[in-house]
Amino acid sequence: METKIYQVEDLNADMLDKADVYGDAAARQAVDAARAAVGRAAGILRGGGLVAFPTETVYGLGADAFNEAAVRKVYAAKGRPQDNPMIVHIARASDVGALTSALSPDMVKLIECFWPGSLTLIVKKRADVPAAVTGGLDTVAVRMPDDPVAAELIRQAGTPVAAPSANLSGKPSPTKAAHVIRDLGGRIDVILAGGECRVGIESTVLDLSGETPVILRPGAVTADQIADILGKEVETDPALLRRDVPDGLTGADAAAAPKAPGMKYRHYAPNAEMLVLEGRRDRVKNEILRLKALNEKLGRRVGTMLFEEKSFTEAAHGFFSELRDLDDAGTDLILAGALSENDGLGFAVMNRMMKAAGYNIIKV
Ligand code: TXA
Ligand code: MG
């Protein structure tokens, strides 16, 4: 299949400002051209095609959420297990009514506070939301992304857009158009090539379908922020707190398996072996250097990943991209320094780091 690549980088907040607020003619033209390209992609979505698009978290691979055949093609293009439900993306908060009829006061508060943004809400689904989207569950995941391209695409498509991350199953989530082109070029209809994703890790997934809200996947919107807005306790899926859970659990261990179906698969796997070192900062640094030298003597290519202390925003922004770069460089072994978990975003990046390393963690 030939994949069309449309450059839409000009449809961003800065250019929109220049065009709409300052009346800059060149910006106006660039924005309009990008909008027209997004419009062509929206037509393809409406016709049952697959379109990859940027969001502020990671790139998504979208299909019309109400077209079962289109949704099934997403699984095929990604090589993704069929029971793994997708997030449905909307462009206006009021469109949430097409997906759920159970709008709780908690949901309304969270929508007002965090949408558009990196918070996905799991709620009871309406009967007509296809089972292919929800993996047969009676709940649906909904999010309104904070990105002008994503918003324009969904708005022009005129339908909610079901979209997992736009990577091949098992690969790191894509945060640049080049990542999507590499993974899905030739497998889907259109790639909307925007800029780099601002956040860099996937949205927080919050289950609102039970009594107590539960974080199923940590992200940029943290449990504390959510608890503040709701004025009540927010739980974290206990599976996220464990340090020793290999993906693909069976038997008795399945009881501790993550509740978001997607969290149980081996994710973000770099080709390289990966080891996370945890402990006092100076010790971690020294141990990384020692192990690097040792392994290089043995002829192995070693990459290191050591984010600045406390700059969790940068860690989130660069994490998946660095994993891909290390793989491209033919790295055999990745030595990564753990992030302290106190901050919500640090915790979210650590969740991805542990998965990438297959829970291969040592204390130093
Ligand atoms: O930031 C994001 O969330 C990105 C962008 C494209 O929006 N999307 C994304 O989708 O990361 P995906 O498919 O890679 O991850 C969705 C996660 C999976 O872990 C999935 O199991 C969980 O959300 N999920 C979806 N629907 C669910 C449901 N009804 N109940 C529980 N978990 C659900
Ligand atoms: Mg994914």
Side-chain angles (χ1 to χ4, degrees):
M1 169 190 289
E2 193 217 335
T3 301
K4 296 193 187 75
I5 298 171
Y6 298 151
Q7 296 297 332
V8 294
E9 222 175 322
D10 287 334
L11 190 51
N12 63 53
D14 271 357
M15 289 291 272
L16 281 167
D17 231 33
K18 278 191 192 146
D20 295 338
V21 183
Y22 298 102
D24 180 314
R28 172 86 276 144
Q29 207 176 14
V31 164
D32 287 349
R35 264 211 185 107
V38 173
R40 289 197 293 280
I44 288 168
L45 263 187
R46 268 199 310 277
L50 302 188
V51 175
F53 59 98
T55 81
E56 84 281 19
T57 57
V58 302
Y59 275 75
L61 172 58
D64 175 353
F66 285 99
N67 180 335
E68 289 227 42
V71 168
R72 276 195 297 271
K73 284 197 288 185
V74 172
Y75 292 109
K78 279 187 59 115
R80 174 184 174 117
Q82 299 265 351
D83 69 336
N84 195 356
M86 293 176 197
I87 296 172
V88 180
H89 298 72
I90 56 178
R92 279 176 309 236
S94 56
D95 291 344
V96 77
L99 304 162
T100 183
S101 30
L103 270 182
S104 68
D106 281 354
M107 191 177 180
V108 173
K109 280 188 208 158
L110 293 173
I111 288 175
E112 276 177 354
C113 191
F114 296 110
W115 282 7
S118 329
L119 178 64
T120 295
L121 302 174
I122 309 281
V123 292
K124 284 267 173 296
K125 82 173 188 80
R126 278 174 66 138
D128 55 347
V129 177
V133 170
T134 64
L137 299 171
D138 63 354
T139 51
V140 62
V142 195
R143 171 165 116 80
M144 177 173 161
D146 183 20
D147 179 287
V149 173
E152 186 71 23
L153 177 71
I154 303 162
R155 201 181 57 72
Q156 290 205 43
T159 176
V161 174
S165 48
N167 50 286
L168 283 176
S169 190
K171 291 284 169 204
S173 291
T175 58
K176 298 179 183 175
H179 301 156
V180 184
I181 294 168
R182 168 84 68 92
D183 276 18
L184 299 178
R187 304 171 74 97
I188 62 176
D189 298 287
V190 177
I191 295 172
L192 291 176
E196 265 184 54
C197 301
R198 176 168 48 83
V199 178
I201 58 171
E202 310 89 338
S203 61
T204 303
V205 176
L206 182 73
D207 187 352
L208 280 182
S209 67
E211 282 284 297
T212 309
V214 188
I215 303 263
L216 302 186
R217 181 175 71 184
V221 175
T222 67
D224 280 353
Q225 290 173 320
I226 295 167
D228 265 2
I229 296 303
L230 296 183
K232 65 160 108 161
E233 213 186 316
V234 172
E235 281 175 16
T236 296
D237 183 350
L240 298 178
L241 303 173
R242 294 185 59 171
R243 293 307 190 88
D244 56 350
V245 190
D247 287 324
L249 296 173
T250 54
D253 283 343
K259 293 206 182 56
M263 300 290 278
K264 73 180 184 237
Y265 301 108
R266 180 150 166 73
H267 259 198
Y268 323 123
N271 298 324
E273 181 191 339
M274 183 164 169
L275 178 63
V276 178
L277 295 95
E278 186 174 46
R280 258 182 36 203
R281 184 79 180 169
D282 51 339
R283 288 205 197 135
V284 167
K285 260 189 187 163
N286 287 338
E287 189 60 8
I288 285 182
L289 291 178
R290 194 182 72 81
L291 288 176
K292 183 172 190 293
L294 198 67
N295 278 274
E296 281 173 347
K297 263 193 204 136
L298 298 173
R300 302 180 82 194
R301 279 195 203 179
V302 183
T304 61
M305 217 185 219
L306 194 59
F307 295 103
E308 286 306 313
E309 188 92 64
K310 299 278 175 227
S311 74
F312 298 131
T313 311
E314 278 156 43
H317 181 77
F319 180 70
F320 285 130
S321 189
E322 281 195 28
L323 275 189
R324 283 180 181 258
D325 288 348
L326 288 166
D327 267 349
D328 290 348
T331 308
D332 301 305
L333 173 66
I334 301 171
L335 299 168
L339 298 168
S340 103
E341 291 206 323
N342 303 336
D343 180 273
L345 189 56
F347 175 68
V349 179
M350 264 308 277
N351 167 265
R352 275 69 174 182
M353 200 184 274
M354 290 192 297
K355 283 164 153 272
Y359 295 88
N360 198 6
I361 309 170
I362 55 168
K363 290 214 192 306
V364 298

